[in-house]
Coordinates of all heavy atoms in Angstrom, one line a residue:
V4 N 2.0 -7.1 -5.0 CA 3.0 -6.9 -4.0 C 4.3 -6.6 -4.7 O 4.7 -7.3 -5.6 CB 3.1 -8.1 -3.1 CG1 4.2 -7.9 -2.0 CG2 1.8 -8.4 -2.4
G5 N 5.0 -5.5 -4.3 CA 6.3 -5.2 -4.9 C 7.4 -5.0 -3.8 O 7.1 -4.8 -2.6
N6 N 8.6 -5.0 -4.3 CA 9.7 -4.7 -3.4 C 9.8 -3.3 -3.1 O 9.6 -2.4 -4.0 CB 11.1 -5.2 -4.0 CG 11.1 -6.7 -4.3 OD1 11.0 -7.5 -3.4 ND2 11.1 -7.1 -5.6
T7 N 10.1 -2.9 -1.9 CA 10.3 -1.5 -1.6 C 11.7 -1.0 -2.0 O 12.6 -1.8 -2.0 CB 10.2 -1.2 0.0 OG1 11.2 -2.0 0.6 CG2 8.8 -1.6 0.5
K8 N 11.8 0.3 -2.4 CA 13.1 0.8 -2.8 C 13.9 1.3 -1.6 O 15.1 1.2 -1.6 CB 12.8 2.0 -3.8 CG 12.2 1.6 -5.1 CD 12.0 2.8 -6.1 CE 11.4 2.3 -7.4 NZ 11.2 3.5 -8.3
D9 N 13.1 1.7 -0.6 CA 13.8 2.2 0.6 C 13.5 1.2 1.7 O 12.3 1.0 2.1 CB 13.2 3.6 1.0 CG 13.9 4.2 2.2 OD1 14.7 3.4 2.9 OD2 13.7 5.4 2.5
K10 N 14.5 0.5 2.3 CA 14.3 -0.6 3.2 C 13.8 0.0 4.6 O 13.3 -0.8 5.4 CB 15.6 -1.3 3.5 CG 16.0 -2.2 2.3 CD 14.9 -3.1 1.9 CE 15.2 -3.9 0.6 NZ 14.1 -4.7 0.2
S11 N 13.8 1.3 4.8 CA 13.2 1.8 6.0 C 11.7 1.7 5.9 O 11.0 1.9 6.9 CB 13.6 3.3 6.2 OG 13.1 4.1 5.1
H12 N 11.2 1.5 4.7 CA 9.7 1.3 4.5 C 9.4 -0.2 4.5 O 8.2 -0.6 4.1 CB 9.3 1.9 3.1 CG 9.5 3.4 3.1 ND1 9.6 4.1 1.9 CD2 9.7 4.3 4.1 CE1 9.8 5.4 2.2 NE2 9.8 5.5 3.5
G13 N 10.3 -1.1 4.9 CA 10.0 -2.5 4.9 C 10.6 -3.2 3.7 O 11.4 -2.7 3.0
D14 N 10.2 -4.5 3.6 CA 10.7 -5.4 2.6 C 9.8 -5.4 1.4 O 10.2 -5.4 0.2 CB 10.9 -6.8 3.1 CG 11.9 -6.9 4.2 OD1 13.1 -6.5 4.0 OD2 11.5 -7.3 5.3
Y15 N 8.5 -5.3 1.6 CA 7.5 -5.4 0.5 C 6.4 -4.3 0.8 O 6.1 -4.0 1.9 CB 6.8 -6.8 0.4 CG 7.8 -7.9 0.2 CD1 8.2 -8.8 1.2 CD2 8.5 -8.0 -1.0 CE1 9.1 -9.8 1.0 CE2 9.4 -9.0 -1.3 CZ 9.7 -9.9 -0.3 OH 10.7 -10.9 -0.5
A16 N 5.8 -3.9 -0.3 CA 4.7 -2.9 -0.2 C 3.5 -3.3 -1.1 O 3.8 -3.9 -2.2 CB 5.2 -1.5 -0.5
C17 N 2.3 -2.9 -0.7 CA 1.1 -3.2 -1.6 C 0.2 -1.9 -1.6 O 0.0 -1.3 -0.5 CB 0.4 -4.4 -1.0 SG -1.0 -4.9 -2.1
N18 N -0.4 -1.7 -2.7 CA -1.3 -0.5 -2.8 C -2.8 -0.9 -2.9 O -3.6 -0.1 -3.4 CB -0.9 0.3 -4.1 CG -1.2 -0.4 -5.4 OD1 -1.4 -1.7 -5.4 ND2 -1.2 0.3 -6.5
I19 N -3.1 -2.1 -2.5 CA -4.4 -2.6 -2.7 C -5.5 -1.7 -1.9 O -6.6 -1.6 -2.4 CB -4.5 -4.1 -2.2 CG1 -5.9 -4.7 -2.5 CG2 -4.3 -4.2 -0.7 CD1 -6.2 -4.8 -4.0
A20 N -5.1 -1.1 -0.9 CA -6.1 -0.2 -0.2 C -6.4 1.0 -1.0 O -7.6 1.4 -1.0 CB -5.5 0.2 1.2
L21 N -5.5 1.5 -1.8 CA -5.8 2.6 -2.7 C -6.7 2.1 -3.8 O -7.6 2.8 -4.3 CB -4.5 3.2 -3.2 CG -3.7 4.1 -2.3 CD1 -2.8 3.2 -1.3 CD2 -2.8 5.0 -3.0
V22 N -6.4 0.9 -4.3 CA -7.1 0.4 -5.5 C -8.6 0.1 -5.1 O -9.5 0.3 -5.9 CB -6.4 -0.9 -6.0 CG1 -7.3 -1.5 -7.1 CG2 -5.0 -0.5 -6.5
A23 N -8.8 -0.5 -3.9 CA -10.1 -1.0 -3.5 C -10.9 0.0 -2.7 O -12.0 -0.3 -2.3 CB -10.0 -2.3 -2.8
A24 N -10.3 1.2 -2.4 CA -11.0 2.1 -1.5 C -12.4 2.6 -2.0 O -13.3 2.7 -1.3 CB -10.1 3.4 -1.2
K25 N -12.4 2.8 -3.3 CA -13.7 3.3 -3.9 C -14.8 2.2 -3.7 O -15.9 2.5 -3.4 CB -13.5 3.6 -5.4 CG -14.7 4.2 -6.0 CD -14.5 4.6 -7.5 CE -15.7 5.2 -8.1 NZ -15.4 5.7 -9.5
A26 N -14.4 1.0 -4.0 CA -15.4 -0.1 -3.8 C -15.8 -0.3 -2.4 O -17.0 -0.6 -2.1 CB -14.8 -1.4 -4.3
A27 N -14.9 0.0 -1.4 CA -15.3 -0.1 0.0 C -16.0 1.1 0.5 O -16.6 1.1 1.6 CB -14.0 -0.3 0.8
G28 N -15.9 2.2 -0.3 CA -16.6 3.5 0.2 C -16.0 4.1 1.4 O -16.7 4.7 2.2
C29 N -14.7 4.0 1.5 CA -14.0 4.6 2.6 C -12.6 5.1 2.2 O -12.1 4.6 1.1 CB -13.9 3.7 3.8 SG -12.9 2.2 3.5
P30 N -12.0 6.0 3.0 CA -10.6 6.4 2.6 C -9.6 5.2 2.6 O -9.8 4.3 3.3 CB -10.3 7.4 3.7 CG -11.6 7.8 4.3 CD -12.5 6.6 4.2
P31 N -8.6 5.3 1.7 CA -7.6 4.2 1.6 C -7.0 3.9 2.9 O -6.8 2.7 3.2 CB -6.6 4.8 0.6 CG -7.4 5.7 -0.2 CD -8.4 6.4 0.7
R32 N -6.6 4.8 3.7 CA -5.9 4.5 5.0 C -6.8 3.7 5.9 O -6.4 2.8 6.7 CB -5.4 5.8 5.7 CG -4.2 6.4 5.0 CD -3.6 7.6 5.9 NE -3.1 7.1 7.1 CZ -1.8 6.8 7.3 NH1 -0.9 6.9 6.4 NH2 -1.4 6.4 8.5
K33 N -8.1 4.1 5.9 CA -9.1 3.4 6.8 C -9.2 1.9 6.3 O -9.3 1.0 7.1 CB -10.4 4.1 6.8 CG -11.4 3.4 7.7 CD -12.7 4.2 7.8 CE -13.7 3.5 8.8 NZ -15.0 4.3 8.8

C-alpha cells in the first residue's frame, strides 16, 4: 500500500490486483 501522488485518486493505492491476476487466472480489473 502506497500514498497516492494525486489526491483526486484517493489517499492510498494498491497494485495487488495486477500482481495476483495471473494466479487468479483473470484480468486485473476483474
Side-chain angles (χ1 to χ4, degrees):
V4 180
N6 299 297
T7 58
K8 294 182 180 179
D9 184 347
K10 289 306 174 184
S11 66
H12 297 159
D14 298 300
Y15 302 107
C17 184
N18 67 346
I19 188 63
L21 286 81
V22 173
K25 185 176 180 180
C29 67
R32 284 188 68 94
K33 185 175 180 180

